[in-house]
Amino acid sequence: MRVRSSVAAVAVIALAATNARAQTDFDTGRVFPAAGDGECLAVADVDEDGWLDLIVRGGSGLLVHSLRGPFAAPAPSIEWPLPATPRKLAAGDVDADGHVDVVVAFGRTTAAIDIGVLFGDGRGGVTLASAASTTGSVRAIELLDADGDSLLDFVAAFQGSRTIVLALQDRTSPRSFLPPSLALSGVSNARLAPGDFNGDGSADVAAIGDGPPRLELLLGDGAGALTSSRSFSLTNTPGSIVAADFDRDGFDDVVATEGRLFSLRGDALSGLVPAWVGPNEPRAVVLTAGDLDGDGFADVVGAGNGVISRWRNDGTGRFVPTTSFSLRDDRTLAVADVDGDGIADVVGARPLRGSVDVLTRTASGGFLMPFELDAEMLGSGDAADFDGDGTVDLVLGGRSPSFGIAHLFFGDGSGGFRSRSEERLPVFPSSVLAADVLLDALPDLVITSAIPATVTVLLNAGGTFTDLGTMNVLGVSVSTAVGDFDGDAAVDFVTGNHSGTTCVVGFGDGAGAFSVRSVVVGARQGVVAAGDVDADGFADAVFTTTDPAGLVLAFGAASRSFVVGTPIAVGPEPQDVIVADFDLDGRLDVAVADLTEPVVRVLFGDGARGFPRTHWIVTPLPASSLTFGDATGDGLPDLVVGHVVTSAVSVLAGDGRGEFRPAAASFYAPGGVERAFATDFGEDGAPEIVVPGRGFKGSVLRSRETPLATALRGTVDAGRGFARDVLFVNSLSGGASRTVRLGPGDPLSITVARPPLVAGLAAFAMYAWPVAPTPSTVRALPAGLGSIALPMPLAPGSPGPRAIWNNVGRTRALGAPTRPSSPAPTTLLGAPAGAGRAITFTLQGLIVDPGALNRRAAVTNGVVVEIR
């Protein structure tokens, strides 16, 4: 086959197909137990080790947490003492020496410095210098080069004031600032967004504030002055503002909130002109922007009141809501394959919050951010196939003001739920379990109420349920476990009694009837779990106890009597217990979570009522709930740990031998977000989102990217933000899927554009492979380039490229050219008559790019061409 015929098979894709974009969701990041809050936070590589650092407010200054590796350093690696409490931060290379500096606005104290700059030395050290004296409390501070001298200046707005000031760095004496000048006295409590809105090369500022609500445009003259140019009246109290070139027309634009999302586009004559108004969105009081779906257009993320919302940019400056979710107060967890992909997912219910978090796991081990299910006052729950259609369903206990509810959500096999129903209960449920009471292969429901202490059984008839009746049990029952305690193959239940030393066991007959008996445990019980710990064919009960604190095991027998073991001390406040084979030796073990200590204790069983070995697993935070299952998709069981006090969930990856690595993934989002923004922790061109909280925790949400999607996106200009496309087929890059579909007679044009930071021509090496890529064909490249979708000429793997364009030289490394070419911008191939036959091939290569991750060269975006 001649090279020309194999490459010329490219034609025009239908416009409707190119407009489709991937709905990128987010993996969970990890929890940072940092003594800081969201009012004062920045991200930058302060020690120049190649990893970004998280800068937060501490008790007496600023704390710096390294984000190296998979965010593996929860403890602060650097502490910067300060003379007063910092209120706002902005990070950047203020003095143009190549090192990160931090501008700090202090609270109103007796300190001599109101606004100062921590000048960095590139090794994590800083020197504090005074930058400005003020007369108010800083509400917002932003960096910009207002006078075009390459030294950063700052603009600041004040709490309860209509004043905005601009402080210029003294170009004759770097690291010192001229007295601040008044820029605007019209918007109160302003939030600020700098950008070049009229395209004249000078920094402007958009300010949104109240008194009355409006948005002000301040145009810069390039010499250090900002002048009020236009004012836009708002209807509601303004929330937040962010600036970026959303429509990629060369002018920065503005997106802001005032109870709804709206945008103004940059304009050469007017600076800003109204562009779009979205639906009501009262929750988004904080905004950030970044390309979250890899289509080259900046999207918007809003946060506020514990809710994070995301809007996709359609490429014209209009925004389409895609995902909203809330992360708070996960109290109960289940592990189940919700989306039917063979990989376990995590379900978390939030008592009293009226929603369910469904975290669908990705093949890479991360979890997609949850979506919400509408329900009321949720508590305990379970997962099973209740309607017998082969997909996993959910049941969650809930309550209305006057009665209990079992909320049933029937899965659609793809991570969502096709329908729902409710079963009215005579009690308020504290525990809901699925168990096959009738032995008919359909899971029934065993529901426990704390006050009054009862157990209710609902028999399943293929997704509808019949109430068997309610049985009274003892004291205050907060937990129930099911198992075959008497060896007759029927389901039995056991309840814990929080107010007494006696528990209740219900022995089932397999037909729906239960014989209820009491068993003396000898201590007040909390949570109960069941399993055949001594391997004698009878299930045993394991209780956490509170008086004294510890564990008590009650061993089942055919006589329907129990042998109660000696109490085991496990910690001061045990909160949850599970029974499972953690080391896969065929003998059941016991794990206990304690609310006062950041550890999970695992007691490894010997199969004969003994626990000769105990192992402590360190958790990010004290644990309150435990779930066991394959949550990382590697075939080995893991621990899913809930942290109720801090509203976090961690996944501890198991090795199959009883060892569990520190949190493979954690997530957290507070009940109120002060500030959120996007940055590229992974250095792959896909921004992560930092969501700090008002308390003592912050979280990082990573954009979900498969290795193939990351490779096809490329790394052009990724060092400055999101990756840009430079390779086009018929002026198209295929959208997020990177696929262009053509007809055999459609015209063809393959072009390579110049990267944004290249002043002249850009040398490149481009390849065409006669196949579509798969995850197995992705190859990581050296020198910080990133990944490429198919093997390059001299890399191991098959197939190799059929066509090579190489105007860089270095044929030994990049391959000898088989097609003539010239540096970009250029046309690689033009075929007005099209390919003439069906074929699939992939285009991708390397290009010189100062804006790349390594500042030298980048991987271009890839395009998969299908001729059909």
Side-chain angles (χ1 to χ4, degrees):
M1 182 186 302
R2 297 180 60 192
V3 173
R4 183 176 181 87
S5 62
S6 64
V7 176
V10 188
V12 179
I13 182 172
L15 180 60
T18 64
N19 286 336
R21 291 184 172 89
Q23 300 301 306
T24 305
D25 290 302
F26 294 93
D27 292 340
T28 58
R30 64 153 301 153
V31 175
F32 292 97
D37 61 35
E39 191 175 41
C40 200
L41 183 147
V43 170
D45 183 8
V46 299
D47 52 6
E48 297 180 14
D49 62 353
W51 299 99
L52 291 174
D53 305 299
L54 181 70
I55 308 168
V56 295
R57 180 169 65 185
S60 59
L62 293 176
L63 305 178
V64 180
H65 298 257
S66 176
L67 303 180
R68 65 173 56 90
F71 316 127
S77 57
I78 302 171
E79 296 188 24
W80 294 331
L82 295 175
T85 302
R87 180 168 174 78
K88 295 294 181 183
L89 299 180
D93 185 4
V94 173
D95 55 357
D97 66 350
H99 304 313
V100 172
D101 312 308
V102 180
V103 176
V104 184
F106 294 101
R108 299 306 303 160
T109 68
T110 58
I113 301 176
D114 293 334
I115 298 178
V117 181
L118 297 167
F119 289 102
D121 61 9
R123 299 184 299 275
V126 291
T127 300
L128 176 63
S130 178
S133 296
T134 65
T135 58
S137 181
V138 172
R139 172 67 182 265
I141 190 165
E142 298 288 345
L143 294 172
L144 74 170
D145 182 6
D147 53 3
D149 60 358
S150 299
L151 299 173
L152 292 183
D153 316 304
F154 66 82
V155 60
F158 297 88
Q159 185 75 32
S161 168
R162 296 177 179 271
T163 301
I164 293 175
V165 298
L166 173 66
L168 299 178
Q169 194 170 172
D170 188 346
R171 68 179 66 190
T172 64
S173 179
R175 293 196 170 195
S176 63
F177 285 79
L178 300 174
S181 61
L182 184 67
L184 173 72
S185 182
V187 176
S188 179
N189 298 313
R191 278 73 79 194
L192 307 172
D196 182 7
F197 303 114
N198 60 0
D200 64 354
S202 301
D204 311 312
V205 175
I208 191 171
D210 47 36
R214 67 175 179 233
L215 186 150
E216 294 276 352
L217 171 62
L218 290 75
L219 290 179
D221 64 359
L226 293 172
T227 304
S228 180
S229 172
R230 297 198 67 188
S231 178
F232 301 88
S233 297
L234 305 178
T235 303
N236 302 306
T237 302
S240 184
I241 186 170
V242 64
D245 185 3
F246 290 106
D247 53 8
R248 294 178 60 179
D249 64 352
F251 299 89
D252 284 332
D253 314 304
V254 162
V255 173
T257 60
E258 54 144 350
R260 57 185 177 180
L261 205 69
F262 69 95
S263 69
L264 296 92
R265 61 176 178 83
D267 180 77
L269 295 178
S270 302
L272 288 173
V273 295
W276 172 82
V277 176
N280 289 342
E281 183 48 70
R283 298 173 299 185
V285 297
V286 179
L287 294 179
T288 186
D291 180 14
L292 303 175
D293 54 10
D295 64 353
F297 291 93
D299 308 303
V300 172
V301 177
N305 301 319
V307 177
I308 300 172
S309 301
R310 194 162 54 84
W311 294 272
R312 176 179 58 81
N313 185 349
D314 69 359
T316 68
R318 300 172 62 88
F319 297 87
V320 180
T322 56
T323 311
S324 293
F325 43 83
S326 175
L327 295 175
R328 288 182 295 180
D329 304 331
D330 283 288
R331 301 288 181 92
T332 61
L333 300 172
V335 175
D337 183 9
V338 174
D339 57 0
D341 62 354
I343 303 173
D345 310 311
V346 175
V347 179
R350 299 188 306 224
L352 309 181
R353 296 304 307 177
S355 64
V356 182
D357 297 334
V358 181
L359 290 73
T360 308
R361 213 189 65 77
T362 68
S364 62
F367 291 88
L368 299 181
M369 298 306 292
F371 57 86
E372 294 188 354
L373 300 177
D374 182 22
E376 296 179 355
M377 307 203 46
L378 299 170
S380 176
D382 209 346
D385 181 9
F386 293 109
D387 55 1
D389 66 350
T391 62
V392 175
D393 312 312
L394 296 179
V395 60
L396 297 201
R399 60 188 300 174
S400 72
S402 57
F403 55 85
I405 302 171
H407 297 280
L408 287 143
F409 302 92
F410 296 99
D412 62 7
S414 62
F417 296 90
R418 56 177 173 77
S419 63
R420 62 167 293 179
S421 66
E422 294 179 353
E423 298 290 334
R424 183 166 174 168
L425 304 175
V427 295
F428 294 150
S430 59
S431 173
V432 177
L433 292 175
D436 187 6
V437 172
L438 293 183
L439 305 178
D440 59 358
L442 285 175
D444 308 297
L445 296 178
V446 179
I447 299 169
T448 308
S449 171
I451 301 174
T454 61
V455 172
T456 301
V457 177
L458 302 183
L459 298 182
N460 184 6
T464 59
F465 294 83
T466 301
D467 189 347
L468 247 185
T470 297
M471 295 161 278
N472 293 324
V473 293
L474 298 172
V476 178
S477 179
V478 296
S479 176
T480 296
V482 294
D484 182 9
F485 300 109
D486 55 2
D488 65 353
V491 171
D492 312 316
F493 68 81
V494 58
T495 67
N497 180 6
H498 191 62
S499 64
T501 60
T502 302
C503 75
V504 166
V505 183
F507 294 98
D509 64 0
F514 290 85
S515 175
V516 177
R517 297 186 182 183
S518 61
V519 174
V520 176
V521 176
R524 288 190 301 148
Q525 308 109 54
V527 177
V528 60
D532 188 4
V533 175
D534 56 2
D536 63 355
F538 303 98
D540 311 308
V542 183
F543 301 91
T544 64
T545 59
T546 58
D547 188 18
L551 289 181
V552 171
L553 278 74
F555 299 95
S559 60
R560 292 191 170 181
S561 61
F562 284 81
V563 176
V564 178
T566 303
I568 303 172
V570 291
E573 198 171 344
Q575 289 294 302
D576 200 9
V577 61
I578 57 174
V579 177
D581 184 5
F582 296 107
D583 53 3
L584 303 183
D585 65 350
R587 295 171 291 198
L588 291 181
D589 314 307
V590 176
V592 187
D594 195 283
L595 192 60
T596 63
E597 300 174 329
V599 295
V600 173
R601 292 174 174 83
V602 179
L603 288 67
F604 293 98
D606 60 6
R609 300 187 179 182
F611 299 93
R613 181 168 66 96
T614 301
H615 177 58
W616 289 25
I617 303 169
V618 177
T619 59
L621 301 159
S624 57
S625 64
L626 299 174
T627 304
F628 189 62
D630 181 14
T632 57
D634 60 359
L636 300 174
D638 311 304
L639 274 175
V640 180
V641 184
H643 314 282
V644 64
V645 175
T646 53
S647 305
V649 174
S650 300
V651 178
L652 307 182
D655 64 358
R657 299 186 298 273
E659 298 285 342
F660 294 85
R661 297 189 299 276
S666 301
F667 70 78
Y668 169 83
V673 179
E674 184 70 23
R675 182 183 180 193
F677 57 92
T679 190
D680 188 6
F681 289 130
E683 297 186 0
D684 58 3
E688 290 77 26
I689 297 177
V690 181
V691 187
R694 291 179 179 172
F696 297 93
K697 301 292 180 289
S699 62
V700 178
L701 311 180
R702 292 181 294 168
S703 174
R704 183 188 68 157
E705 289 284 333
T706 66
L708 180 57
T710 301
L712 286 172
R713 186 181 60 249
T715 58
V716 172
D717 211 35
R720 301 198 307 155
F722 56 81
R724 299 178 186 271
D725 296 336
V726 294
L727 176 65
F728 301 95
V729 175
N730 291 1
S731 301
L732 305 170
S733 62
S737 70
R738 305 295 176 182
T739 300
V740 173
R741 297 178 178 87
L742 312 165
D746 292 332
L748 150 70
S749 176
I750 304 173
T751 58
V752 183
R754 178 174 42 218
L757 288 191
V758 175
L761 299 176
F764 64 86
M766 193 69 61
Y767 309 98
W769 297 269
V771 294
T774 67
S776 65
T777 65
V778 173
R779 295 292 186 271
L781 298 178
L785 286 165
S787 299
I788 198 164
L790 282 151
M792 287 172 58
L794 302 183
S798 179
R802 292 290 182 87
I804 300 174
W805 294 261
N806 180 2
N807 49 68
V808 179
R810 300 184 59 190
T811 57
R812 184 174 180 181
L814 301 178
T818 63
R819 299 285 304 172
S821 64
S822 58
T826 188
T827 296
L828 294 184
L829 186 67
R837 64 189 183 87
I839 190 172
T840 295
F841 64 94
T842 303
L843 297 159
Q844 195 168 22
L846 308 179
I847 192 166
V848 172
D849 176 24
L853 297 172
N854 63 8
R855 302 298 187 262
R856 299 187 302 275
V859 181
T860 74
N861 61 293
V863 180
V864 182
V865 183
E866 295 181 356
I867 312 294
R868 294 290 183 266

